[in-house]
Amino acid sequence: MIMRVTTKMLSQSLINNVNTNLNRMEKYQNQLSSGRLIDRPSDDPVATSRLLAAKSDLKAQEQYSSNMKDAAGWLDTVDGALESVGNVLQRAREIAVTGSSGTLAQASMGALADEVDNMVAELVQTANSSYADKYLFGGGKSGRTPFEVAGRDNHGRITDIQFISADFDKSLLAETYSRKIEIEAGVTIDIACGKTVFHTDTNGNAEINAVFNKLIELREKLDAGDQNAINPLISDIDKYIDNVLSERAVGGAKSKRIEIAQSRLSAYELNLTDLVGKLEDTDYAITFTSYTSQKTIYQASLAVGAKLIQPSLLDFLR
Amino acid sequence: MSLFFGINIALKGMMAQQTALNVTSHNIANANTEGYSRQRVNLETSVPISGLASAGQLGSGVDIAEIVRIKDEFLNYQVRKETSRLENHIAVSHTLQQVEAVFNEPLDTGFNEQLSQFWNSWQELAKAPESSPVRTVVKEAAGSLTDTLRQMSAQLHEIKDDINSQIQLAIKEVNSLSTRVARLNDQIVNVNITGQNANDFMDARDLALNELAALGNISLTDCLDANGKPTGAIEVKLGNITIVDAAGAHEISSSDINPDAVTDGELAGLLQAGGNSGQSNTVQFYIDKLNTLAVGIAKSINDIHTTGKDLDGNSGQDFFVFKDNEGELIDLTAVDWNDPWSSGLSAANIYLNANIENDVAKIAASKQGGIFLEGNGDIALAIAELKHTLMKYDPASQMLTNSNAGNLSLGAFYQDMIAELGSAARETGKTVKNQQTLVDQNIKRRESIQGVSLDEETVNMVLYQHAFDASAKVISVMDEMMDTIINRLKA
């Protein structure tokens, strides 16, 4: 059947079609000028929810990445500090060996005692090292220096070291020393490494300032010239050295773990960034092509429209 | 057979053609009038004279039978029905678009981003629990989180209120249209009594009916007189409510309007979008989800925060609090967590605890008191880990709780909601587009039948003009014949 066509139909169709074309053009223009593929969730609900999930995931990964950088920096600093603790103990061992050999004059013994006293002072300084304003071996107390010289004898030699406070109890050591950091979703790592190095006795039990006390004891024995008493100290110091080494091993393992996690994370982060970009950003090549072709269609519909609505039978009568 | 008889035939012809030309003129004049349907003159031969001529009946010329409007009732019904549906979907679609604008996703300023920043601030706090600047960052992130929740909730409520005022406006419009239809009914009945067609009045009534159909689903019945004949008036029902009958218009009020009464049209769409059906095309759906999210966040964080110790060594307070209409704090210990809604907890009244707002030392980041309290960030870490803790959503109580049997995180709950909103808005948007095409097609078909074609009218004009000319010529010929008889025939 031939449809009866009226002038109003023609103009209405024209308006509808031109509008549809303009609408499409507006969409592309919007994507081009904003650079965003999705303006509101209804543009693409599935992509929107993926995008939101990816973005919050990415934010979290950035946080984990920063956490890991902090953790790695902390562990490196701890390792450095423990290394110097090990060196000090190594030297103390040598002194103890020399002191116990029985060939030294009392004056030489006194010189060795002086050196050990300096070592104690040096060790206090090392034990007070900090990273980003936080004391490495200070537990949770970060506002004040954890190790302080609490007593000296008549010759100005250190006789007592105080950890945190005079009434600090060793039972507090375990829980107060944790410093947990999340490195992956649900994976935390305790970076409070080397926390027990100064506070473990030769039997592996908790004893506040065990290492300092041992060195002070060595210094006292050297002062007294008691060679026989120095001898057993050597094996004690050996145990402390072992202790430091095993703590360093623990720290190293943690560093390694973070390093592995970091490399995995950076690959994941890259993928996520890529995904977010793909979901969110306008692909200019494709969109601009679509835009141009849409523009051509729009212009054509306008041109045809202008020709279409003009003529009527009246133009040809008479 | 007198010569004057022939002149009379020609005269009737001229008069008929002139009337036809008038109708053509009326058509052309109204070619662009909204709701106008073209009219046509139905001509018929007038009653012939019998028994005068031996050859048989002699034609006596032309009469105008009637002037009718060209109308396709079925198409009109279709247009009304589809328009009702279209306006229904448009009302829902507009509302969902407004809701989309409230959430403002997936922009970098949306809630999703703020929630991420909030969790990250706790991570930072876990690393530096004693740092006052870091604590302030947590406070700021929490403040902007609650601000956004309250703002989004307020905006959603505004949309809902707006729907109610739109319903009032629509009802006003229905009443004004039904009055117009009733008035036109009267006018049509009066014209019909004289035996004529009230073409233009009927067009005006159809137009009013189309506007009514946009507002709600209407059904029409012809009013009958005592003899069972149509009077020309129609009875109009909006859904199941009679708004116009033979007696006149009946005003409706908002109490008459409910989803059972009106099932289509803008009114139905507004009722749907503003209703409590629990479906994703209602505003209430998003208000509820937002409440679930706000209370879920507050409860799970408070539960952990209150087990911690602040910098002064005191136990943690509730991190988030809720205020009632008078601005007083709601006692969270008295809340039934299977139904926190009855206690007035919602996204509209969630706040950061004012004590924490005023003093960031009150953030309980530490697990323990005592000497090492300030350096411990276990509680901050536990809160940060809520980011990926799977929560359990109970549809019955609409509560999101931190339990072992969970399957979605707080962030995922929000993202799911946005996805649902996107799908709902996209679906209705598509339906509107399709329905618009359907309506356009129906209107086009109606226009094809009822509309004025200028070409056609021009042809008719020429046709009628020629017939008029010819009739005039007949008179002139008759006149000459008369002249011949009277003046030339000289005995």
Side-chain angles (χ1 to χ4, degrees), chain B residues 48-218:
Chain B
I49 300 169
S50 308
L52 288 179
S54 52
Q57 286 192 328
L58 182 63
S60 66
V62 69
D63 268 341
I64 292 170
E66 58 176 351
I67 299 171
V68 293
R69 58 179 193 145
I70 310 293
K71 191 92 197 160
D72 186 322
E73 278 308 333
F74 179 67
L75 269 179
N76 273 291
Y77 162 75
Q78 290 276 75
V79 168
R80 281 196 299 269
K81 195 179 75 181
E82 302 304 344
T83 307
S84 284
R85 285 197 187 142
L86 173 65
E87 293 296 332
N88 183 345
H89 296 311
I90 285 180
V92 176
S93 174
H94 276 180
T95 309
L96 289 177
Q97 279 174 8
Q98 279 176 289
V99 174
E100 276 191 310
V102 168
F103 289 110
N104 204 16
E105 297 289 358
L107 299 189
D108 285 341
T109 49
F111 181 77
N112 193 52
E113 195 74 8
Q114 289 191 356
L115 193 59
S116 291
Q117 278 166 9
F118 176 68
W119 298 129
N120 282 0
S121 72
W122 284 102
Q123 289 270 4
E124 288 296 330
L125 185 62
K127 286 192 288 185
E130 68 279 53
S131 155
S132 185
V134 174
R135 283 172 175 263
T136 307
V137 170
V138 172
K139 179 192 92 175
E140 292 301 331
S144 81
L145 197 73
T146 51
D147 284 351
T148 307
L149 279 170
R150 288 201 308 276
Q151 196 192 358
M152 290 195 299
S153 183
Q155 284 172 333
L156 289 176
H157 278 104
E158 258 168 46
I159 294 176
K160 216 182 159 189
D161 293 345
D162 195 39
I163 288 177
N164 285 331
S165 51
Q166 279 181 57
I167 290 179
Q168 297 306 324
L169 275 180
I171 287 173
K172 251 189 196 166
E173 221 175 315
V174 166
N175 285 334
S176 117
L177 283 168
S178 63
T179 316
R180 202 198 301 172
V181 169
R183 206 179 54 231
L184 286 162
N185 261 348
D186 290 346
Q187 288 169 319
I188 291 166
V189 170
N190 287 340
V191 173
N192 276 12
I193 288 170
T194 67
Q196 291 175 330
N197 293 329
N199 292 331
D200 294 331
F201 288 145
M202 292 203 285
D203 276 349
R205 191 175 64 185
D206 282 344
L207 192 64
L209 290 174
N210 283 346
E211 285 176 35
L212 263 177
L215 294 167
N217 53 321
I218 55 169

Side-chain angles (χ1 to χ4, degrees), chain A residues 112-133:
Chain A
L112 288 178
D114 280 342
E115 194 179 344
V116 172
D117 188 52
N118 283 336
M119 280 178 185
V120 173
E122 190 190 333
L123 208 55
V124 168
Q125 235 172 32
T126 309
N128 282 334
S129 331
S130 64
Y131 176 78
D133 283 347

